[in-house]
Amino acid sequence: MSIPVIQGDTGDWEMVIGLEVHAQVISRSKLFSGASTVFGAAPNSQVSLVDAALPGMLPVINRHAVEQAVRTGLGLMAEINLKSRFDRKNYFYADLPQGYQISQYEHPIVGKGEIILDLPGGAMRTVGITRLHLEQDAGKSLHDQHPTQTFVDLNRSGVALMEIVSEPDLRGPEDAAAYLTKLRSILRYLGTCDGNMEEGSMRCDVNVSVRRVGDTAFGTRCEIKNVNSIRHVRQAIEYEARRQIEILEGGGSIEQETRLWDPGRSLTRSMRSKEEAHDYRYFPDPDLLPLELTDAEVEAVRATLPELPDEKKLRFINHYGLPAYDAGVLVAERARADFYEAVARGRDAKLAANWVITELFGALNKTGKDVTESPVSADQLGGLIDLITDDTISGRIAKDVFAEMLETGKDAAAIVEEKGLRQVTDTGAIEAIVDQVLAKNADKVAEYRGGKEKLFGFFVGQTMKATQGKANPGVVNQILKSKLNG
Ligand code: ADP
Ligand code: MG
């Protein structure tokens, strides 16, 4: 497995990356209040007295949010800490009415775990998860609503987040993208976060450092805050690694600092240095008891876990005999995997995989549609495959039928009947056409018999053309061979 290397002026460099992902917990109500979490509501319409931090209001932990964190921890093959604690992380900001965020600092609910990356070419690699903890989201400052004023929307204030921290095990933009893709896939399978980066329900802080190839110690890192798409994560890493290499090769040193990704200018810029770093004055939140779980509670959550992408992939490889790459593509989303299984049931599994991945996903990609919006249902695609398998139509004609199915939503059999696309397997009929083709091309027949064997394809082509593609290609080949060589 190759680790990407950046060539500098004075030698080769390697990137070291660790990601902190904030994933919004799927839960109808907030972490410590009963207010709704629905996205896109009118500003400040989903704010309880707790979220607005009115004096004397007390937080009450949301049991479902805790279960979601445990569920995620189990999905990340992580230790679940039966005892965890909430702390206050103190800082002042206009959209943080409490003046502190309730988070978990020393004692997170989930400890060490791991994620298996699916890398291009079918390679796999394990990346360590350091921890997962629960915390509240802040409100949102709106700077673009008024020329001289900033407004605050507290709908998001108090929404439950899981902060998922990776070990510095990633070695380049490709790894980071694979990590985020896999994490999102697992969260969606688990139903604990919708992974929607555009709506901000999954946000990412990217820690980047560089070191000379061969060095074992890590370099000083910079943290790039709140990058909101996988594409931007890749770009920010590329840019930041080069920036650091340039400084180091120029004899300078890297200051640990927090930076921002500026997508408009495609660069990172300094936000605050370590000296300006917040002193959060963490202390245990006196309004909340330590969080204690029992083994039985954890086991109850474990009992409801779905089959996760890695297990599903393994099953697809073993049960259906699919190549690892195909299995990976199919299991990336649960809906895709389910669609495939519905098509494959009782049919040739590899043929089904080819049709689902190449033809269906190819067509969906072109129109930007999700598999759940497919104009051709799994049953319909299965019906088309049946027509190929029982020799009603050839694979070639099937592609035309499929194109028509995508457009009209009709069943394959109906299209085949309507358009008279039934494959001709009648040997006598094909023989007659072959005779015509050979008679019409007597010169080429002579050339073929004289040794120009490449012409065989020409005869196949002519015969298929004469039957509008409907002749069974196997039968055509057979007849041509016996007539030409016999
Ligand atoms: P903080 O709480 O200050 O953000 P952490 O120790 O929790 O610091 O680390 C945050 C992230 O930085 C983790 O994802 C970790 O993997 C990553 N990280 C730590 N050291 C390095 C390094 N030298 N280069 C790149 N990433 C690093
Ligand atoms: Mg951090």
Side-chain angles (χ1 to χ4, degrees):
M1 158 191 20
S2 68
I3 284 173
V5 163
I6 299 183
Q7 279 166 352
D9 295 334
T10 61
D12 289 346
W13 297 83
E14 179 181 279
M15 294 166 264
V16 172
I17 298 148
L19 300 180
E20 295 163 87
V21 171
H22 289 91
Q24 183 177 325
V25 175
I26 294 179
S27 170
R28 282 205 301 270
S29 54
K30 297 183 180 180
L31 184 53
F32 298 112
S33 86
S36 166
T37 59
V38 172
F39 181 79
N44 297 311
S45 62
Q46 299 176 167
V47 187
S48 76
L49 299 178
V50 175
D51 310 322
L54 277 135
M57 294 301 116
L58 292 173
V60 177
I61 186 84
N62 171 345
R63 173 184 284 274
H64 182 64
V66 172
E67 285 168 359
Q68 291 286 62
V70 170
R71 196 172 166 78
T72 307
L74 294 173
L76 297 174
M77 291 169 280
E79 298 162 23
I80 305 301
N81 294 324
L82 296 182
K83 282 190 183 164
S84 65
R85 197 178 74 193
F86 287 99
D87 302 285
R88 289 189 182 176
K89 181 179 181 179
N90 299 279
Y91 62 98
F92 175 79
Y93 205 78
D95 56 25
L96 188 75
Q98 290 170 143
Y100 57 84
Q101 176 193 30
I102 305 178
S103 181
Q104 296 189 302
Y105 184 52
E106 275 169 287
H107 302 287
I109 185 163
V110 175
K112 286 197 179 309
E114 61 184 47
I115 280 190
I116 298 169
L117 306 190
D118 303 294
L119 295 164
M124 296 198 293
R125 196 143 72 77
T126 303
V127 169
I129 299 289
T130 314
R131 60 185 278 167
L132 174 158
H133 66 254
L134 277 168
E135 63 184 28
Q136 301 175 294
D137 205 348
K140 198 170 163 189
S141 294
L142 308 171
H143 303 290
D144 55 359
Q145 309 283 308
H146 191 278
T148 59
Q149 293 178 22
T150 289
F151 295 155
V152 173
D153 176 6
L154 292 181
N155 282 353
R156 222 171 62 181
S157 169
V159 163
L161 301 178
M162 298 178 282
E163 177 167 335
I164 302 164
V165 182
S166 87
E167 291 289 300
D169 287 347
L170 304 162
R171 292 292 174 271
E174 205 64 57
D175 276 7
Y179 174 88
L180 290 170
T181 305
K182 188 61 172 283
L183 176 59
R184 185 170 58 186
S185 167
I186 292 171
L187 295 173
R188 285 178 172 165
Y189 265 75
L190 292 167
T192 56
C193 170
D194 67 26
N196 191 335
M197 291 185 92
E198 298 78 55
E199 289 181 3
S201 46
M202 197 169 131
R203 315 195 284 270
C204 179
D205 299 343
V206 188
N207 295 271
V208 182
S209 66
V210 295
R211 62 179 173 187
R212 289 192 183 275
V213 168
D215 278 2
T216 46
F218 289 149
T220 304
R221 73 187 150 107
C222 289
E223 178 179 10
I224 310 155
K225 277 278 180 206
N226 266 330
V227 192
N228 63 2
S229 78
I230 293 181
R231 189 166 63 93
H232 287 158
V233 167
R234 282 177 188 269
Q235 291 172 339
I237 292 169
E238 296 275 2
Y239 176 88
E240 181 60 19
R242 286 192 187 279
R243 186 188 73 85
Q244 292 182 13
I245 291 167
E246 241 167 67
I247 291 173
L248 293 169
E249 292 198 323
S253 59
I254 303 301
E255 303 294 328
Q256 186 172 336
E257 61 177 353
T258 304
R259 300 179 67 85
L260 284 177
W261 171 244
D262 182 337
R265 293 191 288 162
S266 290
L267 49 78
T268 63
R269 56 191 162 81
S270 185
M271 183 173 143
R272 59 173 181 255
S273 69
K274 201 180 180 187
E275 285 75 60
E276 303 161 60
H278 292 296
D279 172 2
Y280 292 117
R281 293 175 297 122
Y282 281 102
F283 64 88
D285 192 310
D287 289 340
L288 288 158
L289 289 166
L291 183 58
E292 290 190 14
L293 303 168
T294 63
D295 278 322
E297 283 169 317
V298 174
E299 291 318 306
V301 175
R302 194 193 303 277
T304 66
L305 289 186
E307 182 183 40
L308 289 168
D310 292 319
E311 304 164 55
K312 210 186 263 297
K313 182 174 169 186
L314 209 60
R315 181 166 65 79
F316 278 23
I317 293 171
N318 294 332
H319 178 75
Y320 295 116
L322 299 183
Y325 178 82
D326 290 4
V329 171
L330 292 170
V331 307
E333 283 172 39
R334 200 165 163 174
R336 287 182 170 203
D338 291 348
F339 191 101
Y340 167 70
E341 291 208 273
V343 176
R345 197 162 299 132
R347 303 193 173 94
D348 179 332
K350 284 186 194 171
L351 187 59
N354 283 341
W355 274 92
V356 170
I357 295 173
T358 314
E359 305 303 329
L360 179 69
F361 291 173
L364 292 176
N365 273 348
K366 267 187 219 148
T367 48
K369 278 192 180 142
D370 194 75
V371 71
T372 53
E373 309 160 306
S374 170
V376 175
S377 71
D379 271 355
Q380 287 179 308
L381 182 52
L384 176 66
I385 293 172
D386 289 342
L387 296 181
I388 304 170
T389 322
D390 70 11
D391 276 339
T392 304
I393 55 174
S394 67
R396 173 77 263 308
I397 292 282
K399 293 195 180 175
D400 298 340
V401 174
F402 184 63
E404 180 102 11
M405 292 169 75
L406 283 169
E407 223 162 85
T408 63
K410 287 185 190 164
D411 285 349
I415 295 170
V416 168
E417 286 319 316
E418 243 175 63
K419 304 216 151 178
L421 296 173
R422 225 165 233 290
Q423 176 163 257
V424 180
T425 37
D426 172 359
T427 326
I430 295 176
E431 214 175 322
I433 292 166
V434 167
D435 284 340
Q436 283 171 22
V437 168
L438 296 186
K440 228 191 271 171
N441 298 285
D443 49 338
K444 296 233 165 53
V445 174
E447 280 178 56
Y448 176 86
R449 292 197 171 125
K452 205 169 168 193
E453 287 186 6
K454 272 196 299 192
L455 279 171
F456 191 77
F458 166 80
F459 297 121
V460 175
Q462 290 299 305
T463 311
M464 293 308 283
K465 203 170 146 196
T467 61
Q468 284 113 45
K470 287 186 288 188
N472 179 317
V475 178
V476 170
N477 269 292
Q478 232 175 22
I479 294 176
L480 272 170
K481 265 196 195 119
S482 74
K483 297 232 171 219
L484 285 165
N485 302 339

